[in-house]
Amino acid sequence: MLRERVITALVLVPLVLLVIFWVPHELTMGVLLVLVALAAWEWAAFPGFTRHSARLAYSGAVSACVLAIWSYGVDRSELDVLMDLAILWWIVALLWVVAAPLRVNRAAAAIAGVLVLVPVWLALVRLHKFPEYGPQLMLFLLLLVAAADVGAYFAGSRYGRNKLAPKVSPGKTWEGVAGGVLAAAVLAALGVWYFGAATAPFLVLCIVVAAASIVGDLTESLFKRHAGLKDSGSLLPGHGGLLDRVDSVTAAAPVFLVGLERLGLLR
């Protein structure tokens, strides 16, 4: 398992860097659309769409929403409402995980997939095109989420005692959350130096983004448990499905983008 994880990571890292830094922005948008379509295919299992035709239809519907936004114009100010809706959705998701983790039905799972996958495409596309530092900010977001994940894993493994959300993800602990936030804060300090951002606001934003990434992870776990699945798929050997790798990013990306746009930290 570890060997597969390492090999997959060694293959993916150069591809991710290629898409972020060395291809035209429109091609990056297209690659992200393909990833959203694949993620939607996996998400279709959460509402119980077991037939290939049903999963294909669900993936097509999510992709159609993304294409509609693309054709409308991703930079249009009217789409700020979609980002606000994404933030509202993740607040609802947090309350859902905390207050009613066992109350899931097929319709809710299907709607949730749209609310998760469509906004993250727009957030990543806008982030990639962000003035001056776009590709660097996109990579920084991925590193920030990875730092929070790694910090949470090691702190939780070593010190974990108090369960974070036992009905959703029994392995996660509050000590792991603290470790993840600490790791994200260290990376955020490097971000302040690299981007020349306002120190305190940028650090706070990165900590909020790290917290959001945990909510994204827990939300996918909630729907996987409802569907009786251990992994969202098997696309990535050693890692499970695509959603298993990007679930944290789905929540982190909209929060990071909205924070940067509304607070003007890099302008």
Side-chain angles (χ1 to χ4, degrees):
M1 178 67 74
L2 178 59
R3 182 172 178 269
E4 287 184 335
R5 289 176 69 91
V6 171
I7 292 174
T8 300
L10 291 175
V11 172
L12 287 178
V13 168
L15 292 176
V16 169
L17 293 177
L18 175 66
V19 170
I20 293 177
F21 288 103
W22 292 298
V23 302
H25 176 68
E26 290 73 16
L27 183 54
T28 300
M29 294 172 68
V31 171
L32 290 173
L33 171 57
V34 171
L35 293 177
V36 165
L38 291 172
W41 171 275
E42 293 182 353
W43 192 286
F46 300 163
F49 298 146
T50 55
R51 296 175 62 90
H52 283 2
S53 58
R55 296 181 74 170
L56 185 60
Y58 184 81
S59 178
V62 172
S63 300
C65 292
V66 171
L67 285 171
I69 293 171
W70 191 340
S71 64
Y72 182 72
V74 296
D75 296 324
R76 298 280 289 271
S77 59
E78 293 86 352
L79 289 178
D80 292 349
V81 175
L82 182 56
M83 289 294 92
D84 294 336
L85 178 62
I87 300 300
L88 177 61
W89 153 250
W90 287 113
I91 294 173
V92 171
L94 172 60
L95 296 175
W96 197 346
V97 168
V98 171
L102 301 181
R103 300 191 63 178
V104 181
N105 57 52
R106 295 184 64 178
I111 294 170
V114 179
L115 295 174
V116 168
L117 298 174
V118 175
V120 73
W121 180 85
L122 179 60
L124 290 173
V125 165
R126 281 187 165 186
L127 189 62
H128 187 259
K129 202 176 180 181
F130 205 85
E132 189 175 355
Y133 289 114
Q136 292 91 335
L137 285 168
M138 190 172 178
L139 178 61
F140 178 80
L141 170 66
L142 299 180
L143 293 175
L144 185 67
V145 170
D149 185 48
V150 172
Y153 174 79
F154 284 105
S157 298
R158 178 66 177 84
Y159 303 107
R161 297 292 183 274
N162 301 290
K163 300 296 184 182
L164 174 63
K167 292 181 180 180
V168 175
S169 185
K172 290 183 173 56
T173 64
W174 282 104
E175 292 80 4
V177 171
V181 169
L182 179 60
V186 172
L187 187 63
L190 295 176
V192 168
W193 165 77
Y194 182 85
F195 296 114
T199 304
F202 192 76
L203 287 173
V204 170
L205 174 61
C206 289
I207 290 172
V208 173
V209 169
S213 73
I214 297 171
V215 177
D217 189 341
L218 290 174
T219 301
E220 194 222 356
S221 295
L222 181 150
F223 289 111
K224 282 196 299 187
R225 289 181 71 84
H226 166 71
L229 298 173
K230 180 179 182 295
D231 296 320
S232 65
S234 57
L235 181 64
L236 304 176
H239 293 264
L242 177 62
L243 278 172
D244 295 321
R245 290 300 89 204
V246 304
D247 51 4
S248 300
V249 178
T250 59
V255 174
F256 191 50
L257 177 73
V258 169
L260 291 175
E261 288 185 338
R262 306 294 169 82
L263 298 178
L265 300 182
L266 302 181
R267 298 174 182 173

